[in-house]
Amino acid sequence: MESNDLMIEHNRDLLLRPDLKQGNSGNSVLDQCLRDIDDYSLNVQELGSSHIDDHRLAVNQSNQYNMVLRHGNVQNYEENGLDFDSDVKLDTDQEHTDVDDQENQLTPISQRRLGLMEKHELANKKYCVSHENSSSAVKQNQETCLVIDTPVIQSRVHDPVPNHQLTVGQQFPDVHSCRRALRDAAIANHFELKTIKSDKTRFVAKCASEGCPWRIHAAKLPDVPTFTIRTLPNEHNCVGITHLGHQQASVQWIADSIERSLKENPHYKPKEILEEIHQAHGIALSYRQAWRAKERIMAAVHDSFVEEFHLLPWYCHQIGRTNPGSVAVVYGNPVDRIFERLFVSFKASIYGFLNACCPLIALDEMVLKGKYHGTLLLATGFDGEGAVFPFAFAVVDDESNGEWMWFLSELHNLLEANIVNMPKLTILSDRQKSIIDGIEVHFPSAFHGLCVHHLIVNFSKEFDNTILANLLWEAAFALTAIEFEQKITLIEELSEDAARWIRRIDPHLWASAYFEGKRLGHLTADIVQSLGTMILEASGLPIIQMMENIRRQLMMWFNERSETSSQWTGILVPPAERQVSVAIEHAHTHQVLKVDDAEFKVISAEGSHIVNICSRHCSCCRWQLCGLPCAHAAAALLSCRQNVSRFAESCFTVANYRKAYSQTIHPIPDKALWRELSVGLDNAGYNSAELVIKPPKSLWPPAAKPGKKRPCTEVSGHMKRAVHCSRCHQTGHFRTTCTAPL
């Protein structure tokens, strides 16, 4: 940091306005701020001439109306055409965009766009002055800087939208492009256009402000549809509009502005659209306008549902081309080519699951909310931090049968093709009949557990009691059979029916004390809830956009988690490291009796336990069930001078975590290039008719429109209000529709 820095956080234009510098009433704090600047300048001059060259004035502006004045080198002012001793005039548009001095000088409009603040509000505001030395950091706790944060709901944005400057000779492909460019420029610079002439050969418009001479004339070039600007004034200095609306902010313009955001998030609410438009353009819209714009975009999105089903074969080919080793296959009815199933799994996810994650698979499904009926099937593992690790996705039509049998078949072929010896898997699901049948056929040796989350949900439907539900959770996590029975007994004391309902379900399917598979503390398979908004936002998109949203999120996860893990220095991932540290801390209070080189007896305040460090087994069952050494195991390992962290399951190590995210999920090119890049499909002898996949026949009903239809006056019992004309003073019409002669 440069020496002698002075920071004052305040409203920018308030400091630069001459009338406030003279000391208006109600601005005593602001006057004091300016006096402090002068006093500080005098003090700096007293230090010697060597310090004067260190002064610099820089103005920085943000959406919080912050003002930063910094002292630096005077030469920087002269390079920018400013005089340090002269009055400083900075135009917002010049500060953030490269605009010629002779074009679009909108300083009055820029001043008008700033939010209005009552003078009496400044009296209670505080400011702070902090001096920074190059050798020391800022002491943030000495002063409390208060940034003026004016609500933006009643103000214009500071900066006009860039790239909307108009010049003489500028050309547009056609008259529609010309109109759009002029509309965008008017909105960006906060003035309204009034069209004078508009046809196939010319477009003439002027500023709608009364008395403003600004006028633009565009004409068509000969023999081509191109339009060019013929006449345009160099300056436009009128006040512009004084309200927060805009005549050119049509529904189509709103739709064009939010199209990208809405396609990425189809659950974008009209209220959020209002906030985005106001924040970006300073325009206040009505709820109806935002809703109509969203409906217009969604109508176009729904039209793309059909097109994206047609493009599925090319999309699958692009996945295999850009991510070698990935699996992407689409199935259609052989008779009418109607879509039935889609299966996608990326090579990076397959590699990470088989080489770095524990052999545990969670299965879940989610009903899609797009135009057509469908279900998304998911298979995920878990990384060392306990986060879900999705590696296989499928979309199936609701009318197709045996979807889980087919999905598990594809999953088995996927794993078998990428590993020599299939590990002993543990699979968690809601244990619906189709999943049970599929696992028995394709994974007969796997341990199939019941998701505790689904168990609790079904239990709560029968017994709406939070205490009972919590006791059931504790029973599921109980490590020993004795602890499990104690929890069930407590449930029975509160409700015999609840205990009877629980005992009907085999505890070997869900209770940690009885389950034979390796879950390492993961008892649920509620993947949809774990993935959160990523899946929910994508579920309403067309099929390719949905899969692309999922792929982009996975790509970001792999990159972010790989970069994060590169900074870890321990043996275990941070959550596991913390658990081991707690176990070591408790181990210091335990007494260890050595039986042989592998077996130990550990005595604690709760009792004694037998630990075998070779088989990684403790009689408390925590070590073998959770995969991390318990306090008894830590005590035994410390007694023989072993590193406790090295006796955790390999999936908890930093090395395995880095390996899980070591591969890269590559992007897919734009769909306009798919047919050109999918040379392999043409060489395989497919014709275009064979590659086309038709959308399913099952459709969701159209979404209901907001609001309710206003009831008829006869039904509601209210009389219709008579309207009056202010021009002829007759009833039955308004002034705008009055035709009476005067």
Side-chain angles (χ1 to χ4, degrees), residues 136-319:
S136 62
V138 180
K139 297 182 180 180
Q140 299 180 354
N141 58 351
Q142 291 181 355
E143 291 282 345
T144 300
C145 294
L146 180 60
V147 178
I148 299 178
D149 191 0
T150 309
V152 299
I153 194 63
Q154 294 295 334
S155 63
R156 292 282 181 191
V157 293
H158 288 276
D159 303 322
V161 180
N163 301 326
H164 291 304
Q165 303 302 328
L166 303 175
T167 58
V168 176
Q170 186 174 351
Q171 295 184 355
F172 307 95
D174 49 40
V175 65
H176 300 291
S177 301
C178 180
R179 291 170 184 166
R180 284 195 297 268
L182 295 179
R183 176 198 62 188
D184 294 341
I187 293 174
N189 294 315
H190 303 288
F191 69 93
E192 291 181 341
L193 282 174
K194 183 177 181 180
T195 303
I196 300 175
K197 294 183 183 297
S198 178
D199 52 35
K200 295 182 179 179
T201 60
R202 58 183 173 175
F203 181 83
V204 182
K206 69 173 186 177
C207 177
S209 298
E210 185 176 356
C212 179
W214 189 89
R215 182 186 182 97
I216 186 170
H217 176 213
K220 179 179 175 296
L221 296 178
D223 302 326
V224 290
T226 306
F227 265 65
T228 182
I229 297 178
R230 295 287 180 83
T231 305
L232 179 67
N234 289 334
E235 295 183 358
H236 186 192
N237 295 324
C238 76
V239 179
I241 56 177
T242 57
H243 54 84
L244 293 179
H246 204 290
Q247 186 177 356
Q248 272 69 49
S250 62
V251 173
Q252 185 59 47
W253 175 81
I254 301 171
D256 295 339
S257 302
I258 65 170
E259 181 176 5
R260 181 176 180 180
S261 300
L262 193 57
K263 286 184 176 181
E264 294 178 354
N265 178 18
H267 303 288
Y268 210 36
K269 298 179 181 179
K271 183 179 179 181
E272 296 172 338
I273 296 174
L274 296 177
E275 295 175 355
E276 177 181 337
I277 294 296
H278 188 275
Q279 183 177 2
H281 305 282
I283 297 175
L285 304 174
S286 67
Y287 185 90
R288 185 71 179 181
Q289 284 178 299
W291 178 82
R292 288 177 60 195
K294 178 180 178 180
E295 288 296 302
R296 188 167 296 186
I297 295 297
M298 293 308 297
V301 170
H302 284 172
D303 292 339
S304 66
F305 274 88
V306 177
E307 178 189 3
E308 295 207 355
F309 277 104
H310 294 168
L311 293 175
L312 277 177
W314 284 275
Y315 177 66
C316 293
H317 184 266
Q318 289 303 313
I319 291 178

Side-chain angles (χ1 to χ4, degrees), residues 520-534:
L520 300 183
H522 299 287
L523 274 64
T524 65
D526 190 19
I527 306 172
V528 174
Q529 184 177 2
S530 300
L531 294 177
T533 57
M534 182 195 82

